[in-house]
Amino acid sequence: AIVAAVAARFGAGPLAGRKVLLTAGPTREFLDPVRFISNPSTGKMGLALAQAARSLGAEVTVVLGPVGAVVRDGLTVVDVVSADDMAREVLARVESVDAFIATAAVSDWRPETRAPQKVKKGSSPGQESLRLVRTPDVLAEASRKVAGNAKRPVLVGFAAETEKVLEHAREKLERKGLDAIVANDVTAPGAGFGTDTNRVTVLTRTGVQRELNGSKNEVARAILELLLVRRP
Amino acid sequence: AIVAAVAARFGAGPLAGRKVLLTAGPTREFLDPVRFISNPSTGKMGLALAQAARSLGAEVTVVLGPVGAVVRDGLTVVDVVSADDMAREVLARVESVDAFIATAAVSDWRPETRAPQKVKKGSSPGQESLRLVRTPDVLAEASRKVAGNAKRPVLVGFAAETEKVLEHAREKLERKGLDAIVANDVTAPGAGFGTDTNRVTVLTRTGVQRELNGSKNEVARAILELLLVRRP
């Protein structure tokens, strides 16, 4: 830990001079000033990756959805709320980094409209229908933006799934043009949202498949060693 | 603070021997295993009231929606997720307490159905319609349940509003048969969700109207002094 801290401080370490951009946490899609659609992401896995990248010497920026108080030491943090915000902040930065790791649990839908005032219960009968539209796919848009560039960042996605985990993850890896994807069965014990441990399978475009488990810090370090330091 | 701690420890203080039930935090209404409707409540105001009641000598139970790590010392905490859970836990307890203070930001609607697996984006076109149904009104149901009882608890509500704050609060006070309501303009600076300070107006059935502001701890203490210790 001391070696890593010293390395980070002096810009040494295997990722010295490299810029890593991450997204972390959930997004919130408001339907009025006080109600939103979201998910249970706490940002722990993404922040563990950010701190691990920092300790390996990288210059790290995190585009962070709404989470509670978190350790921001040594990180550049850009706070956002919605998927639209997150997409804008990522697209403004992705062409100037060496790696983009998308860990955020971005809402796939948002309410079509956002009421300017709290919608009162009395104003509707017992049933209501909320019209939803798709949000931008942050990682797919980032991938498209850098696709033709001479210096293209390493692109890593996360797939939080509840069934057919590897199948869904492989499909995302292909469709979004990624270098690797980290697949996560969020319903497995000791894995997923809010836990301190994780159990993941890393799949790469080159066909590597590797299972990792441990604390989120250990898993974060192993993912970076595998994908950014050794680069299979 | 030392006096209060000692008082709480020995069951002394102006609320010694009194049982106080509170709700706090948001609720989450899931539409599939990873997506929900919620609101930005962090439970701070409710937990400040719980700790203040404890320091005044009361025996305190908090039915708490999903919030991050919070101080639970000296409190009986019942963790819940949804409005249905919260209603069930409150209705099981409200007849045996001296006061019920409903601070939770309970979701007014929930998705009509909850999908057993994560709904995939590809399974729908760009638009989607989410059918919502009303959740139980926890405070109104609690009020109805104790309405005819010989020993009826003091009932206190919170009204988080974004416009016509006092008008909406007064209407809730009447409609739900409360003794008092604490009205909160959640869009005002230094008030509402996630802040450490608050600015509220307390309205009682007997016509008292009192503005309070300060840290959430100070406001909590003043609310309890006004409504449970002095009882206007």
Side-chain angles (χ1 to χ4, degrees), chain B residues 160-217:
Chain B
E161 303 292 345
T162 62
E163 59 172 353
K164 300 180 198 163
V165 175
L166 293 186
E167 184 186 326
H168 285 145
R170 215 166 265 126
E171 183 276 323
K172 276 186 184 174
L173 173 72
E174 297 293 332
R175 177 168 47 85
K176 300 190 186 185
L178 309 181
D179 295 289
I181 194 157
V182 181
N184 212 346
D185 180 349
V186 292
T187 63
F193 295 124
T195 58
D196 287 317
T197 58
N198 213 349
R199 173 180 297 275
V200 303
T201 304
V202 181
L203 306 175
T204 75
R205 182 159 55 168
T206 56
V208 172
Q209 174 168 336
R210 179 85 173 275
E211 295 194 24
L212 300 170
N213 69 79
S215 73
K216 285 188 173 175
N217 288 333

Side-chain angles (χ1 to χ4, degrees), chain A residues 35 108 117 127 129 131 162, chain B residues 35 108 127 129 131 162:
Chain A
R35 299 183 179 100
D108 295 315
Q117 300 294 343
Q127 284 215 350
S129 189
R131 289 177 66 86
T162 60
Chain B
R35 299 182 179 101
D108 296 315
Q127 285 214 350
S129 188
R131 290 176 65 86
T162 62

